[in-house]
Amino acid sequence: MPLAMNREVFITCAVTGSGGTQDRSPHVPRSPKQIADSAIAAAKAGAAIVHCHVRDPETGKPRRDVSLYREVTERIRDADIDVVLNLTAGMGGDMVFGDVENPLPLRTPGTDMGGASDRVEHVRQCLPEICTLDCGTMNFNEADYVMTNTPGMLRAMGGMMTEMGVKPEIEAFDTGHLWFAKQLVEEGVLKCDALVQLCMGVPWGAPDDLNTFMAMVNNVPQEWTFSAFSLGRNQMAYAAAAVLAGGNVRVGLEDNLWLDKGVLATNAQLVERAVTIVENLGARVIGPDEVRKKLNLTKRAPLAA
């Protein structure tokens, strides 16, 4: 796609994630109330979209409990500020193998494999405007763990999301994920006005150097909308890079715990800093109503219990 700076930028806050960060910062929210409160604070700081996982309220470990998602959803929708809700659908594809000489049976705890309907049940019940679709299988920076998303699984989940009227946010961790996402659009599984998140610096996906980033950007079709992020110390640098390349911004504690060296951040502080970067570049931060118009989103109430 031809490069032109984006002058109308939306910011997504990735509130808590599913990584093992719960004991590394007191600001990483665990309970549904903490997650919702942090999301609401991020919205007040300038985030138009909040991207939410849920965690065990006691241990902080990632969960797929529909009741936790419903509580987060309801708390955010009852808040005194509007925000676009984006729920993860990336859980339920976790495989942890045995050692290199004895890979089977798969290890538990750690392995969590769900069917397509099971992996999107919380989306069906909560009906957020957006949910994520991780468009590929990938090794993370763990010896025997694989994030599993087969083509058949992605076709099924993507089709269900589209039928629900929930916009999939394609999570692209490498150029091959974009290649397959374009195939899903060609097949009609996803609509042609797709939304994609370019995920940079996640081991072992696309590294967060600018050459690789531009290769990702140049593989995004013209009619799609993209956002981008990087991990850790490069989070704010990629906020600027994404805007300059024509995209939108994601920040938040899912991807980075630090505001400055030695200073742990809150989600609201990360959003505030991103707002400053965007505005200092001469762009305008847009709100949830403008995002809904831009992305053709529908805001609905959850299904009855």
Side-chain angles (χ1 to χ4, degrees):
M1 62 189 298
L3 296 179
M5 177 177 159
N6 184 10
R7 301 281 177 179
E8 305 285 328
V9 178
F10 63 76
I11 296 174
T12 296
C13 182
V15 175
T16 190
S18 61
T21 58
Q22 66 271 15
D23 297 321
R24 292 169 53 198
S25 170
H27 304 306
V28 174
R30 299 184 179 204
S31 71
K33 183 180 187 304
Q34 290 171 341
I35 293 166
D37 286 349
S38 194
I40 292 162
K44 291 179 177 178
I49 302 173
V50 289
H51 169 59
C52 297
H53 294 241
V54 294
R55 293 176 179 264
D56 184 293
E58 298 300 324
T59 67
K61 293 183 178 179
R63 292 282 298 276
R64 287 198 293 126
D65 188 324
V66 174
S67 67
L68 297 177
Y69 279 107
R70 286 186 68 102
E71 183 177 347
V72 168
T73 297
E74 289 161 5
R75 286 181 177 275
I76 291 173
R77 284 181 169 147
D78 287 343
D80 59 354
I81 188 166
D82 188 24
V83 69
V84 173
L85 184 61
N86 175 344
L87 296 182
T88 184
M91 308 283 290
D94 300 323
M95 297 179 69
V96 182
F97 291 86
D99 65 51
V100 294
E101 298 297 342
N102 300 283
L104 297 177
L106 298 174
R107 274 190 275 163
T108 55
T111 296
D112 176 28
M113 294 292 293
S117 297
D118 184 45
R119 290 179 68 176
V120 299
E121 177 59 22
H122 64 294
V123 176
R124 187 189 72 80
Q125 289 196 30
C126 296
L127 294 175
E129 290 103 317
I130 302 171
C131 68
T132 59
L133 185 68
D134 297 338
C135 266
T137 294
M138 185 179 147
N139 297 326
F140 274 75
N141 191 20
E142 300 174 37
D144 301 304
Y145 168 73
V146 179
M147 178 184 78
T148 309
N149 293 291
T150 66
M153 180 67 76
L154 291 171
R155 285 186 173 96
M157 291 174 62
M160 291 175 188
M161 294 168 185
T162 299
E163 186 175 343
M164 291 173 196
V166 176
K167 192 176 196 73
E169 180 188 66
I170 297 159
E171 302 283 292
F173 296 84
D174 219 333
T175 51
H177 298 179
L178 286 170
W179 187 5
F180 183 64
K182 286 187 273 190
Q183 178 65 27
L184 292 180
V185 170
E186 184 175 324
E187 293 173 6
V189 175
L190 305 182
K191 294 183 179 180
C192 60
D193 61 337
L195 170 65
V196 62
Q197 186 73 247
L198 304 181
C199 310
M200 308 301 300
V202 180
W204 301 109
D208 63 355
D209 63 86
L210 286 175
N211 283 333
T212 304
F213 178 57
M214 292 315 304
M216 297 280 277
V217 170
N218 287 329
N219 273 282
V220 176
Q222 181 69 41
E223 62 272 21
W224 292 17
T225 299
F226 83 89
S227 181
F229 72 89
S230 183
L231 302 184
R233 69 179 65 184
N234 289 331
Q235 184 175 81
M236 293 304 164
Y238 269 77
V243 174
L244 291 171
N248 300 279
V249 170
R250 168 170 145 173
V251 295
L253 294 177
E254 177 171 349
D255 309 319
N256 167 48
L257 299 178
W258 302 95
L259 187 66
D260 293 301
K261 187 174 181 179
V263 181
L264 290 168
T266 66
N267 278 309
Q269 288 172 325
L270 293 172
V271 172
E272 287 168 356
R273 183 157 293 184
V275 168
T276 298
I277 289 170
V278 171
E279 292 179 343
N280 283 349
L281 288 170
R284 185 174 70 90
V285 175
I286 65 174
D289 281 341
E290 289 173 284
V291 169
R292 290 187 184 99
K293 291 176 183 176
K294 179 181 180 68
L295 300 179
N296 297 314
L297 304 178
T298 302
K299 182 176 183 179
R300 290 172 293 170
L303 297 178

